Amino acid sequence: MKRIVSNHKMNLTKEEVQAFEREVRNWHPKKSELVFCPSFPYLSYFDGTNYSLGSQNVAKTKMGALTGEVSVEQLKSMNVKYTIIGHSERRNLLKETEEEIKIKVGLCLEYGITPILCIGEKEEELDRKEEILKKEIDSVFQGQSIKNIIIAYEPIWAIGTGRTPTQAEIQETLQWIKDYIKENYQISCETLYGGSINDQNIEMLNQIPSIDGYLIGGASLKTEKLKKIIEVVEGEYDARYN
Ligand code: PGA
């Protein structure tokens, strides 16, 4: 069972997202779980039963006075099952700190929402990738007991750029993440890959043994591209006839 997570980021208008949902609610993937992470105002449009709902963020405190934020309890009440935490756009552009990311992971776990923790190196950090990933993992895991988490490895230089690491590099990094977390924190965790996934490279990516799923931005906004990606993951896509 692979997980396909569609991260809408700050895209789509109300009409566009409603049309999107009307289409995807008729999809019935058998071997994968589809998770849609729309912008907050649109969460209630995603009430279908053939997919799961995720959020792109969560507030770092519980319910109460924090203008403009959305709490974990509110997300839970909207049937949100997954929350993306620590996306590089939030870390780098919105200056989200490791301490905040750690708190958000803890809050999600307390409320039974599975955190999808994003980690990844910048291009200039490629020669010390493991050091960067270790720091991003340790800062969340140290001092709290984590039993259930999904790690999304997203090289920052691959997000929205059309560039991806090679098959071998992705395999090596995902397996390294699994081994590191198993060895140091005694849990087996699912590892997703993210960064410029599209309907052209999904066949290459889908052959990587340690990939448990995909975190997809741009290509997941177009239903025809997303559909092809799902078909490849489900093993139903035959390039000869398409
Ligand atoms: P992308 O984004 O697929 O558009 O590269 C992925 C992500 O940022 O999660």
Side-chain angles (χ1 to χ4, degrees):
M1 184 67 128
K2 288 212 171 122
R3 232 174 283 283
I4 301 174
V5 184
S6 165
N7 176 11
H8 288 188
K9 308 194 181 187
M10 199 171 61
N11 290 298
L12 306 179
T13 60
K14 177 183 169 186
E15 287 71 27
E16 286 166 346
V17 83
Q18 286 180 321
F20 180 99
E21 197 281 333
R22 274 197 299 275
E23 187 169 346
V24 303
R25 73 163 71 148
N26 297 313
W27 295 353
H28 299 271
K30 294 178 200 69
K31 297 179 220 150
S32 42
E33 184 189 22
L34 265 177
V35 181
F36 291 105
C37 304
S39 299
F40 281 135
Y42 306 147
L43 282 175
S44 63
Y45 301 148
F46 285 77
D47 57 357
T49 48
N50 304 329
Y51 55 75
S52 297
L53 190 54
S55 72
Q56 301 175 21
N57 187 29
V58 60
K60 62 180 175 185
T61 54
K62 293 187 185 172
M63 292 280 255
L66 198 60
T67 305
E69 291 292 298
V70 178
S71 81
V72 66
E73 214 170 319
Q74 292 172 320
L75 293 179
K76 188 76 188 168
S77 74
M78 295 299 290
N79 296 320
V80 164
K81 273 177 76 181
Y82 301 93
T83 292
I84 298 172
I85 300 178
H87 191 283
S88 64
E89 287 154 9
R90 298 199 60 84
R91 289 181 193 258
N92 297 317
L93 303 175
L94 299 174
K95 306 292 172 220
E96 194 163 84
T97 66
E98 287 179 342
E99 188 52 32
E100 289 170 322
I101 291 167
K102 176 178 181 172
I103 292 170
K104 291 179 178 191
V105 167
L107 275 175
C108 283
L109 292 171
E110 191 184 328
Y111 281 81
I113 293 177
T114 303
I116 301 176
L117 174 69
C118 299
I119 61 174
E121 78 287 349
K122 297 186 178 133
E123 187 152 34
E124 63 271 25
E125 294 167 340
L126 262 172
D127 56 345
R128 49 191 187 97
K129 178 169 69 181
E130 287 181 8
E131 186 192 321
I132 301 293
L133 300 182
K134 262 185 205 172
K135 191 167 171 293
E136 290 180 333
I137 293 169
D138 291 341
S139 61
V140 166
F141 276 77
Q142 276 171 6
Q144 64 181 347
S145 162
I146 296 179
K147 300 265 177 292
N148 178 34
I149 192 166
I150 296 174
I151 306 288
Y153 168 58
E154 298 203 299
I156 296 169
W157 51 274
I159 296 178
T161 59
R163 296 164 59 206
T164 57
T166 64
Q167 261 183 342
E169 284 163 349
I170 296 174
Q171 168 60 24
E172 193 187 328
T173 309
L174 294 185
Q175 193 54 48
W176 179 88
I177 293 168
K178 285 181 191 296
D179 294 345
Y180 182 77
I181 292 179
K182 181 93 197 162
E183 209 167 288
N184 292 280
Y185 302 103
Q186 293 73 49
I187 62 157
S188 304
C189 74
E190 201 175 293
T191 48
L192 312 182
Y193 168 76
S196 292
I197 297 172
N198 57 44
D199 52 339
Q200 303 302 311
N201 58 23
I202 188 66
E203 283 165 272
M204 173 283 274
L205 294 168
N206 206 42
Q207 292 162 5
I208 299 174
S210 295
I211 275 198
D212 299 312
Y214 306 93
L215 178 52
I216 315 172
S220 77
L221 296 168
K222 301 257 179 288
T223 49
E224 66 283 2
K225 286 191 183 181
L226 184 58
K227 195 156 193 255
K228 185 191 154 187
I229 291 171
I230 296 164
E231 283 167 2
V232 170
V233 174
E234 296 262 304
E236 284 174 359
Y237 183 79
D238 190 335
R240 286 172 303 173
Y241 302 111
N242 283 279

